[in-house]
Amino acid sequence: MIFDAIRESHDIQRDLCRKLTASRGDMAARQLLFLQLKVELMAHAAAEERHLYVPLLMEDGGLDSSRHALHEHHQVDELLEDLSVPDKQQDGWIATAKLLSFKVRHHLKEEESKFFHVAGRLLSDAKKAQLAGKYKREIVRMRKHYAAEFQTVAVSAATGLVKPARPAADKPATRGNADAGAQLRGKSKPRRTR
């Protein structure tokens, strides 16, 4: 059913939130965790809105719940935007990541404890099964769509899940390339040599 398919993504989101807020020191690992979480949240929201919220918006009894859930998705989008900065060590970044984690966990808990019950009453079993298939296809498609924006994450062909991309694709060639080396160090010009 649709709810089981959505819970799979919820579990991934909870795990990535926990890992991200616990990340310390290794900024490359933090950046990778953030991108995995960002792709998962965006793909999940798109698939869920299309294949659960929209059908429920068509039912009088689903209007308020769907609107509330859409509002919470918007709040998560805003926090993702705030966190999408190059420097993940800057003051307040981890505090904002913790706020994102709190909002995500709150939304997931509310959705599973309240929203799913409303949807369960309003949708027939046949409709739930149909929506589950559509949701599963859509979330994989959207993961691929959003992961394509970043070089460090990809979607596994075997599982359809977001994973780190191959390391070789992450590092630009710097040997003998002073401009690329300067860029990696955050400078606009190469080092002067004698």
Side-chain angles (χ1 to χ4, degrees):
M1 293 292 172
I2 183 76
F3 309 122
D4 295 327
I6 290 173
R7 278 189 187 98
E8 289 176 21
S9 178
H10 285 185
D11 290 343
I12 292 167
Q13 293 169 45
R14 285 184 184 101
D15 184 54
L16 288 170
C17 280
R18 182 186 53 75
K19 288 176 180 175
L20 180 66
T21 57
S23 67
R24 301 285 183 266
D26 185 351
M27 290 304 108
R30 179 178 283 176
Q31 172 68 8
L32 183 59
L33 283 168
F34 173 69
L35 289 178
Q36 286 178 276
L37 177 61
K38 183 176 182 175
V39 168
E40 185 65 27
L41 288 170
M42 292 187 321
H44 171 76
E48 185 176 60
E49 288 169 11
R50 288 179 182 155
H51 300 295
L52 183 60
Y53 295 178
V54 168
L56 288 174
L57 282 168
M58 301 300 143
E59 302 286 337
D60 291 342
L63 285 172
D64 290 338
S65 297
S66 296
R67 286 180 181 154
H68 179 74
L70 285 165
H71 172 70
E72 289 184 344
H73 278 192
H74 180 69
Q75 289 176 325
V76 167
D77 288 344
E78 288 178 342
L79 288 168
L80 286 172
E81 186 65 31
D82 292 345
L83 292 168
S84 295
V85 294
D87 182 9
K88 304 286 189 267
Q89 280 185 301
Q90 69 183 1
D91 290 342
W93 193 91
I94 199 70
T96 305
K98 286 179 180 180
L99 178 59
L100 171 68
S101 177
F102 173 80
K103 291 278 188 187
V104 167
R105 287 181 286 111
H106 164 79
H107 173 70
L108 302 180
K109 182 179 179 182
E110 190 172 73
E111 200 169 67
E112 291 172 356
S113 66
K114 296 177 185 173
F115 189 79
F116 285 2
H117 294 290
V118 171
R121 286 192 320 266
L122 296 173
L123 300 172
S124 69
D125 287 344
K127 186 69 170 174
K128 290 178 214 172
Q130 176 193 31
L131 292 173
K134 289 181 178 183
Y135 171 85
K136 287 177 183 179
R137 287 187 297 277
E138 184 73 6
I139 194 167
V140 171
R141 187 179 79 78
M142 294 310 295
R143 284 172 179 152
K144 289 176 182 177
H145 170 76
Y146 289 119
E149 296 178 25
F150 309 106
Q151 293 180 359
T152 54
V153 293
V155 176
S156 167
T159 64
L161 299 176
V162 180
K163 64 179 181 82
R166 287 178 289 163
D170 294 345
K171 297 181 182 176
T174 57
R175 188 175 186 112
N177 185 336
D179 290 328
Q183 185 179 17
L184 284 175
R185 290 188 304 279
K187 306 291 182 189
S188 61
K189 295 182 181 180
R191 288 185 184 151
R192 293 182 61 187
T193 58
R194 297 177 197 213

